[in-house]
Amino acid sequence: MQGIDLQDCPAYLQVMDWDKLQYFLMVARHGTLARAGAALHVDATTVSRQISALEGALQQTLFERAPTGFVLTAAGRALVPHAEAMAAAAARIHKADESGAALSGQLRVSVSEGFGNSFIAPRLGRFVAAHPELEIDLVASSGFLNPSRREADMAVLLARPRKGPLITRKLADYSLGLYAPADRPDWQAAVAATPLSRAGIPVIGYIPDILYAPELDYLGEIEPGLRATVRSSSILAQRRMIAGGGGVGVLPCFLASGDPALVRVRPDQTIARAFWLALHRDVARQPRIRAFIDWLDGEVRESRGLLVPG
């Protein structure tokens, strides 16, 4: 059997399926089996097996195996526009239409612990109800997965990334303030009248040598040289320590507002920060990605007064 002429689109469509073409496109875009596998959430062996099966079906060599990775042959280059056309068609098929057709697949979002647990998680039920066939991983922790390395589909970060094949934009501004336990009016009065460094009140904050983002080093914006004397790597733990009478400390307003165990002190002192949305260029047009971003934008708009009080 002779190889198929890849300039003849109908001929190759008869011998392959979209699943194999996805592997072909990812290797063509990323250049190595490992990076293609990461993009597809499979191992490199699976990618290699699919590429070999596709080449066998076409009886064509699509890639040259070079020390630096996989390089398209002439046959591979001829296949790319056809594969991209099928990718566009597949995206249209899977896209939710105006009647509310279901989205499916996996969506992994990396977000800071405080924003993920206190803002996204309580609201996520509405998005889940609208898209019940989606599998959603909300990775809310002290630290971030890297969209550039395809560890997550998207991330909500504390600063705008400067490197990588990413699409980035500001998601929302948010404010932080100084909070004290509601049942310690003596501390509240002391903080209002006395520098914290001389008030004899424990200060709660992050552990400096394992601070996962420089944007969290904000105690100096309350008072120059201010140090935490009771520390945790978790903002949720810091909130509990303040509410439980362990000291005073800085918290995001969206995390502390409405908690009867907390009182904001020095309300004229506000620390301004922002959340940044980052996603890999390769996933930006996927319907499930767009749906989540649209939903999150709506939640942020509705909650602007919570994120930036006053």
Side-chain angles (χ1 to χ4, degrees), residues 239-265:
R239 173 188 175 179
R240 291 191 173 217
M241 288 191 288
I242 297 169
V248 300
V250 173
L251 295 172
C253 295
F254 66 80
L255 182 65
S257 296
D259 187 339
L262 296 169
V263 170
R264 186 170 178 182
V265 292

Side-chain angles (χ1 to χ4, degrees), residues 69-116:
F70 279 46
V71 180
L72 287 164
T73 64
R77 290 193 297 273
L79 179 57
V80 166
H82 301 313
E84 289 178 339
M86 287 189 72
R92 288 193 296 271
I93 290 170
H94 290 293
K95 185 176 182 179
D97 59 26
E98 292 182 356
S99 64
L103 298 175
S104 61
Q106 184 187 52
L107 177 67
R108 177 168 290 181
V109 183
S110 177
V111 63
S112 65
E113 181 191 34
F115 191 62

Side-chain angles (χ1 to χ4, degrees), residues 171-253:
L171 175 65
D173 293 311
Y174 70 99
S175 299
L176 304 96
L178 187 64
Y179 287 85
D183 60 359
R184 291 301 304 263
D186 54 329
W187 283 3
Q188 297 164 31
V191 169
T194 310
L196 269 171
S197 57
R198 300 203 305 267
I201 300 171
V203 176
I204 291 170
Y206 282 101
I207 304 170
D209 57 340
I210 57 173
L211 204 65
Y212 68 89
E215 291 74 23
L216 301 177
D217 186 14
Y218 39 56
L219 285 180
E221 296 178 46
I222 296 295
E223 289 177 16
L226 186 63
R227 295 177 58 253
T229 55
V230 182
R231 299 178 284 266
S232 173
S233 60
S234 165
I235 191 66
L236 299 182
Q238 292 176 39
R239 173 188 175 179
R240 291 191 173 217
M241 288 191 288
I242 297 169
V248 300
V250 173
L251 295 172
C253 295

Side-chain angles (χ1 to χ4, degrees), residues 9-30:
C9 179
Y12 85 78
L13 283 173
Q14 295 174 11
V15 298
M16 72 180 71
D17 57 38
W18 167 232
D19 190 55
K20 291 183 177 60
L21 277 178
Q22 290 186 81
Y23 290 91
F24 166 77
L25 271 180
M26 286 299 104
V27 175
R29 289 171 179 171
H30 295 283

Side-chain angles (χ1 to χ4, degrees), residues 29-303:
R29 289 171 179 171
H30 295 283
T32 71
L33 297 176
R35 289 199 292 266
L40 292 162
H41 303 295
V42 299
D43 58 45
T45 302
T46 300
V47 180
S48 177
R49 186 167 59 248
Q50 293 289 339
I51 294 299
S52 296
L54 180 58
E55 290 180 325
L58 293 173
Q59 294 194 338
Q60 298 276 9
T61 300
L62 301 175
F63 296 100
E64 293 179 358
R65 278 68 169 172
T68 56
F70 279 46
V71 180
L72 287 164
T73 64
R77 290 193 297 273
L79 179 57
V80 166
H82 301 313
E84 289 178 339
M86 287 189 72
R92 288 193 296 271
I93 290 170
H94 290 293
K95 185 176 182 179
D97 59 26
E98 292 182 356
S99 64
L103 298 175
S104 61
Q106 184 187 52
L107 177 67
R108 177 168 290 181
V109 183
S110 177
V111 63
S112 65
E113 181 191 34
F115 191 62
N117 283 286
S118 297
F119 188 90
I120 293 180
R123 295 167 172 79
L124 192 60
R126 291 193 285 270
F127 183 77
V128 172
H131 306 289
E133 295 185 26
L134 274 179
E135 296 180 10
I136 302 169
D137 295 337
L138 181 64
V139 185
S141 60
S142 299
F144 297 99
L145 301 181
N146 191 331
S148 293
R149 296 197 296 265
R150 305 304 296 272
E151 295 171 348
D153 294 306
M154 71 181 77
V156 179
L157 305 169
L158 302 179
R160 186 173 193 168
R162 299 298 179 185
K163 297 186 294 183
L166 299 173
I167 295 173
T168 64
R169 67 168 170 84
K170 184 187 285 190
L171 175 65
D173 293 311
Y174 70 99
S175 299
L176 304 96
L178 187 64
Y179 287 85
D183 60 359
R184 291 301 304 263
D186 54 329
W187 283 3
Q188 297 164 31
V191 169
T194 310
L196 269 171
S197 57
R198 300 203 305 267
I201 300 171
V203 176
I204 291 170
Y206 282 101
I207 304 170
D209 57 340
I210 57 173
L211 204 65
Y212 68 89
E215 291 74 23
L216 301 177
D217 186 14
Y218 39 56
L219 285 180
E221 296 178 46
I222 296 295
E223 289 177 16
L226 186 63
R227 295 177 58 253
T229 55
V230 182
R231 299 178 284 266
S232 173
S233 60
S234 165
I235 191 66
L236 299 182
Q238 292 176 39
R239 173 188 175 179
R240 291 191 173 217
M241 288 191 288
I242 297 169
V248 300
V250 173
L251 295 172
C253 295
F254 66 80
L255 182 65
S257 296
D259 187 339
L262 296 169
V263 170
R264 186 170 178 182
V265 292
R266 299 186 188 174
D268 57 320
Q269 281 192 312
T270 297
I271 297 171
R273 292 291 187 269
F275 290 120
W276 291 84
L277 185 67
L279 60 156
H280 199 286
R281 291 172 184 165
D282 288 349
V283 306
R285 294 184 180 274
Q286 292 182 4
R288 62 181 181 274
I289 302 295
R290 297 309 317 165
F292 186 85
I293 292 173
D294 290 345
W295 169 80
L296 185 57
D297 280 339
E299 295 295 330
V300 165
R301 282 195 302 272
E302 290 180 10
S303 303

